[in-house]
Amino acid sequence: MEHESFEDEEVAALLNKDYISIKVDREERPDVDHLYMSVCQALTGQGGWPLTVIMTPEKKPFFAGTYFPKGRKYGRKGLMDILPQITSKWDEDSVKISEIGDQIIAETQSRLIANLQGDISEESLDRAYQMYEQLFDPQYGGFGDAPKFPTSHNLSYLLRYHKRTGSVQALAMVEKTLNGMYRGGMYDHVGWGFSRYSTDNSWLVPHFEKMLYDNALLTMTYIEAYQVTGKQQYADVAEQIIAYVLRDMTDAQGAFYCAEDADSEGEEGKFYVWKPEEIRQVLGNDDGDLYCTVYDITDSGNFEGHNIPNLIERTVEDYARLSTVPLQELQARLEASRQKLFAHREQRIHPHKDDKILTSWNGLMIMALAKAAKALNKPEYAVAAKRASDFISKELRREDGRLLARYRDGDAAFLGYLDDYAFYVWGLIELYEATFDITLLELAVELNAEMLRLFWDKEQGGLFFYGEDGEQLFTRPKEIYDGAMPSGNSAAALNMAKLARYTYNAALSQQTDEQLKAFAGSVEKYPAGHSLFLIALDYIVGAPSEIVLAGDPAKPDLQGMASKLQRQFRPNAIYMLHPSGEQGAAARKLIPLLQDKVALGGKATAYICENFACQTPVTDLDELDELEDIQD
């Protein structure tokens, strides 16, 4: 529509004659997008982008749809047909159209703010698993039919279900899906990072757009899969995603960009696809033939006469077994080839980069980097996360502390939404555990309190999408569905539960219960659509676990203990440090549990507390292995 209509003189003249045209960036104004997408779904039974809405001057919507061509085409009416008809009806009876708008508003409000309170139970955890099992694709992994979205928080939930119940099938579904996504063309085997979704069941043909939030969430899940299984391949994928983000999606000041488009030179995927002759031209015949064979590069092509590199039919390990090439030699040759192909591809015209910096998506990337820093003992990832956090504090907070949503070219704008607060606080909590910088946890507590002040529904509980100080649309919706991206309410529930445990805040603990009850009805109807919410529930009903380290964080003995403990998958645990010296006072003030947890004999000491009881403190790395629960 951008090129076909909005840049067309004839369409522009018609719009400017009778309408006031407003173009909205849905990432800058997700409140507007979410609300009017609900209008479109109420009117047409479906939604999507581009989203087209026509409303009265009082912002009462009375017409909605998605894509409209300039003229009638593909069985669709065109804008040149629709706009004069609507103008005519408005001129005939604007009062009636306004009344229609009132009816649409009432219907939308009933859908968005229905009272879905109740009591959520642990049975929802089992029901969600059963739903995932029914939807699972045993051939390629993933859930349901194409298009397939990564929705990695579904997999993170299943990892917790495996941990909680010992379900072998839950873990098998996760591994099949993670392997399937990586082997397919949705993963960029030349430059790394994941595309937004797959258009087919086998993960071969992606929508080539790369989103920051997808890559952040997938990093989280691949890291967790590594922690659960110990399989290096999952850590490798996570590190490759991080390498891509730090290389291509990072601002000079350390914050992260939004996305890279699917198109270049007017063609979707052109930047990413190959032909065999180009591969051989870059690599030579021997290495070129090898790369083409392993990565399914053929003369006929697997995508519109071109090729998307993939490992769907066989892995590198499979090829090594079938050939005479030793695995290590094969891997070395393929990596050298990848680097040459990447350098060659860099000379192509790149897709457009959306260089907006969103607080919410940066929060997710901070969270993912911090998780990777902990699990892989890679402090450089925590350094990258801290740079992004510092950027948000400097550029995306007003002087009064209010978070803002978007930064671009020196301009910060739009009052932060629930997602901005919830995802950033999530990142801060994880980053505290990666660095034990108490100021990060203090900031998380401060922002969480501000979130509750600005967004909390005092009548029915739960958090509204935009703050009480924001532009008031015709209703204040609440979002709880964990779709391609999880909801702010789900992330907030997890944050609230963790911060209540850190600070021994009984009022916050009570509010966490109210947060769960506020959405229980919605979650009970379809648990599988609320995976991050269920992760929060699993955290709350699971055996509480606190791990306290005491000593000097700069010394190797404490660093060794932290590394050993944090590489394990302990989703119900929180980690904290009681530092020696003056720094300990600030930590004790915020975290009451630290009061009597001190370094014994000047040695780094670990206190493992579960179900409100602490085991004998440990001062030796080898002793950690003797604690049975550490090996669970």
Side-chain angles (χ1 to χ4, degrees), residues 525-543:
K525 283 185 177 180
Y526 187 59
H530 303 87
S531 54
L532 186 61
F533 190 89
L534 295 179
I535 286 173
L537 176 64
D538 180 80
Y539 178 85
I540 291 165
V541 301

Side-chain angles (χ1 to χ4, degrees), residues 460-471:
Q460 296 189 1
L463 294 151
F464 291 115
F465 192 81
Y466 61 85
E468 61 182 20
D469 57 344
E471 178 185 355

